[in-house]
Amino acid sequence: MVIKQVTPYLYFNGTCEEALAFYSEALDGSVRESQTYGDAGVDVAQDSNRIIHAQLEVNGHLFMFSDIPNDDDSLNKNHNIYIVLEFEKEEQINEVYNIFKEEGQVQMELEKAFWGQTYAKVIDKFGIGWDLSYTHQE
């Protein structure tokens, strides 16, 4: 079996539009598409303005986004999955770390780790877990 691509799908409880704008700016990405439950004619959402599906492209990588249809935080409670971002430049990891820790929870401070990378672990203000990594060029 060969996996062609892995795409993270992030779920929110009514804050998807705000999160999409936040990540677009923080990661210098562009929104490829965004559709609400109302646009799709789906009436299961308590709020037809919630996002049913959106895509954010960051440097050729795709992230998908959606609001859950009803107020059910169970999707956002567990942090057993983190999205790993590997940066090309040290300035980039510093910038994203500072943005994500704002109103978030730092689980591991940004620092040079014993295995030779600059690394941090953060849960951002939307409850998404991130492992941020930069490998030093020797």
Side-chain angles (χ1 to χ4, degrees):
M1 172 179 16
V2 176
I3 296 174
K4 183 178 177 183
Q5 178 178 331
V6 175
T7 304
Y9 208 121
L10 302 127
Y11 291 91
F12 302 89
N13 191 358
T15 59
C16 185
E17 186 174 4
E18 179 186 350
L20 194 57
F22 173 78
Y23 295 120
S24 178
E25 183 175 331
L27 300 174
D28 195 25
S30 61
V31 177
R32 286 181 46 183
E33 65 178 77
S34 181
Q35 185 177 29
T36 66
Y37 281 88
D39 294 337
V42 177
D43 61 0
V44 297
Q46 293 172 341
D47 178 358
S48 63
N49 290 322
R50 285 181 181 229
I51 305 294
I52 192 170
H53 180 72
Q55 293 182 345
L56 177 68
E57 185 176 349
V58 178
N59 195 33
H61 301 281
L62 193 63
F63 293 80
M64 294 187 192
F65 291 73
S66 180
D67 277 315
I68 55 178
N70 300 308
D71 288 326
D72 176 5
D73 271 334
S74 62
L75 283 174
N76 298 330
K77 295 252 188 252
N78 297 321
H79 295 289
N80 57 344
I81 296 177
Y82 286 74
I83 299 170
V84 178
L85 298 179
E86 174 74 32
F87 295 90
E88 289 184 2
K89 298 179 181 174
E90 195 163 13
E91 308 84 58
Q92 295 168 326
I93 192 173
N94 289 319
E95 181 180 340
V96 171
Y97 171 74
N98 287 324
I99 293 170
F100 281 7
K101 77 176 188 175
E102 195 73 29
E103 298 181 53
Q105 175 189 357
V106 174
Q107 296 185 304
M108 269 183 92
E109 292 285 342
L110 181 67
E111 62 186 15
K112 189 166 183 180
F114 67 89
W115 60 86
Q117 292 179 320
T118 295
Y119 179 83
K121 186 180 279 288
V122 180
I123 297 174
D124 68 27
K125 68 181 181 178
F126 295 103
I128 304 297
W130 299 90
D131 284 358
L132 308 176
S133 180
Y134 167 72
T135 303
H136 294 268
Q137 308 304 315
E138 299 298 323

